[in-house]
Structures are given as C-alpha cells and as structure tokens.
C-alpha cells in the first residue's frame, strides 16, 4: 500500500500552481507598492515563543501546536502563526534601531493540529502584514485598507468586515471582573473547557463556538461599553478613518479572536461562502507583545489571511483565474536519429529567450504532436532527416495549422515575426 499525505495536509499540484503564483504575485506587488518589506522566518521556533506570545490558555497553545524536542531536549514548535516570530525577529535583529516604524509582510505555511474540515487544514498558508512601532489609529485603518486592496484586486466580493476593540491592560481588568461576575452563577452551564477558561482567562469564554456557551455570552456585558478614555478615542478614530475611506464595516462587540496578544482594535474579514470556517482573515493591534517578548514597550498592529480560503472563495464566487502561461515552442523529431539535433536546437531557441521544451521519450511524431497540442504552444519545430539535409526544419503554426520549411539559421527570425 502506498503512503498517503498526512491528515489535514495537501499537495499543491502542478495544475493548480498557477493559482498560487497569481495570488502570491498579487500580494507581493500590492504590498511592495504600499511600502511593506518581506520577511522570512523559520518554520519552527522555540515553543516558549508561542506560549508567551499567543497565550497559555488559548486553543492554539493548549491543543493545536505541533511540538517536538530537538536532540538536546529543547522544545520546538512548528509555527502556528506569523506574528510572534516576526516580533522575535524584530527584537533579535534590532529593527527598531534603524527605523521607528517598520512595515513587514510574510507569506508561507503555518501549522495547527486542528480537526480538518472544509477550509481548515493542519498545514495552511498565510500572508500577513505587521506594522511595528506606531500607536496611530491610522495604522489600524491602513492594515484593513491594504488587505482590502488585495482582496479587491483579486476580484473577491461580498466580504464583511467585523471590528471591535478589546481594550488595553488597564480597562480590561475591570471588564474581566464584570464578565466573571456575570458568569459566576452560570458557570455550571458552561462547557467543560469554558469552566476552566472562567478561572484562567474568562475573556476566552467569549470566543467559544459551542451553542450552550454562545447563548450565555449573548447577554454578557460588552467590552466596548467598558473601555477607558484612551481606548474609546482610539477606536473612534479607527472607525472614522474607515468611514472617510468609505469602507463599510460592522461592529461586533463580542469579537475577541483566538490569540491573547490583542489590545484595542480587533477585526475579522468573513466571506459568506466559506461555511463554518468563514474567516478569510483577521488581525488587530497588539501593543504589549513586543514588551512581552523582552523588548521595550512598542505598539504594533497587523493582519493575516489564509490563502487556501482565498482560493476557495475565488472558486466559489466563480471569479476567472488568469489564463495559464504557455510555452512558445515545442521541438519534435521525426526519428530518434534526430534527437541530438533537436536537443541542440531546443537549447538555441531557449537561449534566445523563448520558452521551449521537447519530449524525451522516444514517442512517434504523432504522440509528440499530441503533447505539443496539450501544452498549447504557439509553434512546433519539426526536425527531420530530409529537411536537415537542406539545413532546414519544419515550422508549424499551431493556431493556423500552417506549416512551412524554414532555414535553421533563420528559425529565430521566423519565430519572432
Ligand atoms: P488567525 O485569525 O489565527 O490570526 O489566522 C488568520 C487567518 O488564517 C484566518 O482568518 C484563516 O483565514 C487562516 N487560518 C487559520 N487557521 C487555519 C486553518 N487551520 N486552516 C486554514 N486556514 C486557517 C493570526 O494568525 C494572527 N497572527 C493574525 C495577525 C497578524 N494579527 C496581528 N497580526
């Protein structure tokens, strides 16, 4: 029996790769125009980074990390997200020294040991952006605007932006107390995980997806009514920046997101067609994370989106993918005797800048023509004994199906004309 791909992972096959090139290319093009620089961090980090960064009592840290020891027994974890690694690199490479505000982006695989389902994988790809070093509400709006620009360029429609403020260290303490008080006599009706969350991190109860807990949460006090003056004013300014740019959003005072590092703004972008896993992306401000990971207090804000979910949405919305790039030329030979000449000609054609290929099996001319047709090349060059004796080859225009004999030393000119 052959070995299958691990549960929750998938191959990206050659027939789908052009979708990935297209999306990744678009992301890189827009982000570089908006002033973001790419950063590539390792696929694994010391486990402690995520425990401290994401939060000990989050689902990601308690249930979803792929953790393993290295040969010396230090605990490593496949990165479940990109923000904590980017902040680690920001600190390790003293990026704050060269510039006060740093704008970074990343693209690549993340790993979470979740129960696989439509749109939810154990290895998935994210693109993310992080602005480190500014507390300006305009930066929060810029993150949202940037991501929407990417979605728009890809043609995505019917996306909903949900936004909230989860307050800061100061005002959250009071809110958490109020929430705890509200939950006290309802504790017995919470799910077993939320009973634990009630003690360890009550805010996480707001993120529970179980119906019984959701019902209890419905009437819980809301965080936006308990914000301090600074958080209130920050939130109002973010919303005003978005209004100014005519960006339609919906406030959702129960949005807390699955990571503990958020402060003030938290937001999510959802796509109706995705079913239960409807978040196409999410992010927010994380003003305490840099300090939490050993740096000086440094405000920051960012966002990440799942690329698989973007592809699913594009397909569901029947948005057309750009036509796949095809090769210019296929070199075929009438007889295997002409292999060497065909090979040499192929290299010459490639060296002049055309994209070209040949078939290395010893198939008949008919089967080579079938391959050329399937590849959708513009021209096929046919190398045969009779023509070679006159220093010529046959050039077939695959669209018009016209073919003519051309001199080898004039072939490149013929291809260009
Ligand atoms: P997150 O909400 O955990 O945020 O993930 C962002 C996006 O990644 C989700 O909205 C979803 O599209 C995709 N995603 C997450 N888990 C899976 C999965 N198992 N399968 C497929 N797609 C998935 C973060 O990761 C934060 N680091 C975002 C951020 C950046 N906040 C500030 N800066």
């Amino acid at each position: 029996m052959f070995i299958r791909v691990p549960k929750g992972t998938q191959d990206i096959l050659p027939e789908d790769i052009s979708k990935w090139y297209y999306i990744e290319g678009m992301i890189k093009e827009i982000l570089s125009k908006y002033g973001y620089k790419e950063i590539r961090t390792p696929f694994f980090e010391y486990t402690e980074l995520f425990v401290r960064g994401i939060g000990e009592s989050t689902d990601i840290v308690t249930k979803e990390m792929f953790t393993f020891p290295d040969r010396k027994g230090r605990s490593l974890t496949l990165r479940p997200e990109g923000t904590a690694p980017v902040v680690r690199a920001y600190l390790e490479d003293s990026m704050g020294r060269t510039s006060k505000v740093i704008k970074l982006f990343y693209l690549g695989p993340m790993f979470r040991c979740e129960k696989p389902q439509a749109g939810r994988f154990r290895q998935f790809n994210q693109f993310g952006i992080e602005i480190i070093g500014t507390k300006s509400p305009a930066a929060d709006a810029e993150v949202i605007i940037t991501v929407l620009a990417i979605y728009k360029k890809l043609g995505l429609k019917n996306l909903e932006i949900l936004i909230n403020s989860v307050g800061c260290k100061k005002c959250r303490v009071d809110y958490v107390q109020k929430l705890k008080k509200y939950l006290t006599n309802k504790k017995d009706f919470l799910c077993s995980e939320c009973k634990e969350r009630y003690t360890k991190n009550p805010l996480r109860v707001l993120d529970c997806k179980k119906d019984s807990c959701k019902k209890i949460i419905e009437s819980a006090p809301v965080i936006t009514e308990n914000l301090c003056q600074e958080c209130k004013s920050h939130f109002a300014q973010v919303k005003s920046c978005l209004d100014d740019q005519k960006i339609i959003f919906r406030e959702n005072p129960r949005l807390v997101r699955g990571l503990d590092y958020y402060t003030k703004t938290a937001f999510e972008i959802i796509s109706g067609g995705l079913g239960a896993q409807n978040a196409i992306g999410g992010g927010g401000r994380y003003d305490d994370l840099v300090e939490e990971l050993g740096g000086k207090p440094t405000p920051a804000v960012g966002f990440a989106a799942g690329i698989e979910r973007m592809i699913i949405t594009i397909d569901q919305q029947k948005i057309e993918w750009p036509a796949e790039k095809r090769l210019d030329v296929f070199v075929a030979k009438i007889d295997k005797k002409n292999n060497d000449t065909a090979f040499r000609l192929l290299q010459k054609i490639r060296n002049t800048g055309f994209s070209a290929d040949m078939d290395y099996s010893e198939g008949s001319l008919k089967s080579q023509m079938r391959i050329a047709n399937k590849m959708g090349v513009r021209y096929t060059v046919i190398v045969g004994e009779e023509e070679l004796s006159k220093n010529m080859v046959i050039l077939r225009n695959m669209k018009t199906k016209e073919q003519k004999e051309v001199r080898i030393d004039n072939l490149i000119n013929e291809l260009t004309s």
Side-chain angles (χ1 to χ4, degrees):
M1 212 172 72
F2 58 86
I3 299 166
R4 291 184 183 276
V5 81
K7 193 173 168 189
T9 70
Q10 55 187 348
D11 298 311
I12 300 172
L13 296 169
E15 58 256 38
D16 290 324
I17 202 70
S18 62
K19 294 181 178 178
W20 287 80
Y21 288 167
Y22 169 63
I23 291 193
E24 289 167 357
M26 192 72 83
I27 290 169
K28 287 180 185 172
E29 184 192 318
I30 294 178
L31 292 180
S32 66
K33 276 190 192 158
Y34 280 48
Y36 294 82
K37 289 252 160 52
E38 185 174 358
I39 179 165
R40 299 186 188 187
T41 62
F43 288 6
F44 58 87
E45 299 271 357
Y46 288 121
T47 303
E48 203 185 327
L49 174 71
F50 300 115
V51 176
R52 256 161 73 187
I54 301 172
E56 263 179 314
S57 51
T58 56
D59 281 357
I60 297 183
V61 169
T62 54
K63 299 190 276 190
E64 296 169 4
M65 296 205 302
F66 286 101
T67 297
F68 51 96
D70 69 8
R71 285 175 182 272
K72 294 216 165 113
R74 274 204 77 163
S75 182
L76 299 170
T77 291
L78 294 181
R79 62 180 189 191
E81 61 105 49
T83 310
V86 165
V87 170
R88 196 249 328 117
Y90 169 86
L91 289 171
E92 197 160 351
D93 297 300
S94 309
M95 291 187 211
R97 233 187 263 160
T98 46
S99 173
K100 201 164 176 299
V101 180
I102 304 275
K103 291 171 67 174
L104 300 167
F105 83 89
Y106 50 90
L107 228 162
M110 306 291 161
F111 308 84
R112 295 186 193 175
C113 191
E114 296 187 82
K115 198 163 170 227
Q117 62 182 81
R120 194 206 267 163
F121 310 97
R122 291 187 170 175
Q123 177 177 329
F124 58 98
N125 289 271
Q126 272 189 351
F127 88 83
I129 60 179
E130 313 292 350
I131 308 181
I132 307 176
T134 173
K135 59 181 178 144
S136 165
D140 306 35
E142 139 116 12
V143 167
I144 298 175
I145 289 165
T146 304
V147 173
L148 289 179
I150 293 172
Y151 290 153
K152 189 171 170 205
K153 197 81 195 265
L154 290 169
L156 293 175
K157 297 169 290 244
N158 306 328
L159 300 179
E160 193 176 16
I161 303 158
L162 305 178
I163 178 165
N164 191 23
S165 174
V166 294
C168 64
K169 262 195 284 209
K170 286 174 274 163
C171 53
R172 210 160 12 189
V173 177
D174 290 344
Y175 172 69
V176 168
Q177 258 174 10
K178 272 192 196 167
L179 180 65
K180 218 168 166 177
K181 198 165 157 208
Y182 166 82
L183 292 172
T184 307
N185 57 2
K186 299 167 186 68
K187 219 168 43 186
D188 295 343
F189 305 101
L190 291 173
C191 71
S192 58
E193 279 169 276
C194 281
K195 282 193 184 102
E196 208 171 305
R197 289 175 182 139
Y198 169 85
T199 339
K200 285 192 181 156
N201 186 352
L203 212 59
R204 292 257 64 84
V205 176
L206 298 180
D207 199 35
C208 185
K209 306 285 180 287
K210 301 219 172 67
D211 285 340
S212 51
C213 297
K214 272 191 186 162
K215 228 181 162 66
I216 295 173
I217 293 156
E218 259 171 31
S219 325
V222 292
I223 198 156
T224 32
E225 280 164 20
N226 292 276
L227 296 176
C228 63
Q229 201 44 49
E230 192 194 322
C231 289
K232 217 183 266 174
S233 147
H234 184 96
F235 194 35
Q237 287 178 72
V238 174
K239 289 187 284 183
S240 144
C241 280
L242 294 175
D243 282 337
D244 189 56
Q245 292 302 308
K246 314 245 172 319
I247 289 170
I248 298 165
F249 56 86
R250 182 159 65 88
E251 282 185 60
N252 177 358
R254 314 227 178 264
L255 181 78
V256 285
R257 307 211 1 88
L259 307 105
D260 273 353
Y261 48 60
Y262 292 112
T263 54
K264 297 187 172 138
T265 321
F267 60 91
E268 229 158 59
I269 301 185
I270 59 175
S271 161
L274 277 173
Q277 302 306 313
N278 63 358
I280 193 164
R285 182 160 276 287
Y286 50 95
D287 288 344
D288 302 329
L289 184 60
V290 177
E291 196 180 359
E292 188 65 49
L293 295 178
K296 285 192 293 207
T298 310
V301 57
F303 173 91
I307 299 185
E308 286 81 359
R309 291 189 193 176
M310 288 165 72
I311 293 178
I312 296 172
T313 309
I314 291 176
D315 283 336
Q316 265 167 357
Q317 297 191 350
K318 302 206 167 17
I319 298 163
E320 231 173 272
W321 293 98
E324 237 179 272
K325 271 213 175 122
R326 297 181 182 265
L327 291 184
D328 299 319
V329 184
F330 184 82
V331 181
K333 67 269 171 191
I334 293 179
D335 191 280
K336 62 179 179 203
K337 275 198 302 234
N338 309 124
N339 252 341
D340 292 352
T341 318
F343 183 75
R344 248 178 263 127
L345 212 49
L346 169 69
Q347 306 316 326
K348 185 174 164 189
I349 294 168
R350 283 176 173 168
N351 289 342
T352 51
F354 288 101
S355 55
D357 203 2
M358 68 183 277
D359 171 35
Y360 290 99
S361 76
E362 305 214 320
S364 65
L365 183 60
K366 208 168 157 193
S367 87
Q368 293 176 72
M369 293 313 286
R370 228 178 285 129
I371 296 172
N373 264 320
K374 209 168 150 203
M375 283 181 170
V377 291
R378 282 165 48 219
Y379 290 105
T380 298
V381 173
I382 304 167
V383 183
E385 206 57 15
E386 197 187 317
E387 293 75 21
L388 279 181
S389 68
K390 298 181 277 179
N391 275 330
M392 293 185 121
V393 286
I394 299 167
L395 181 63
R396 182 179 171 86
N397 182 320
M398 300 297 279
K399 197 167 165 204
T400 62
K401 303 205 170 10
E402 277 172 291
Q403 55 182 59
K404 57 181 178 185
E405 284 188 6
V406 297
R407 289 169 50 91
I408 292 181
D409 56 12
N410 202 35
L411 176 64
I412 302 301
N413 283 342
E414 289 280 349
L415 290 173
T416 322
S417 65

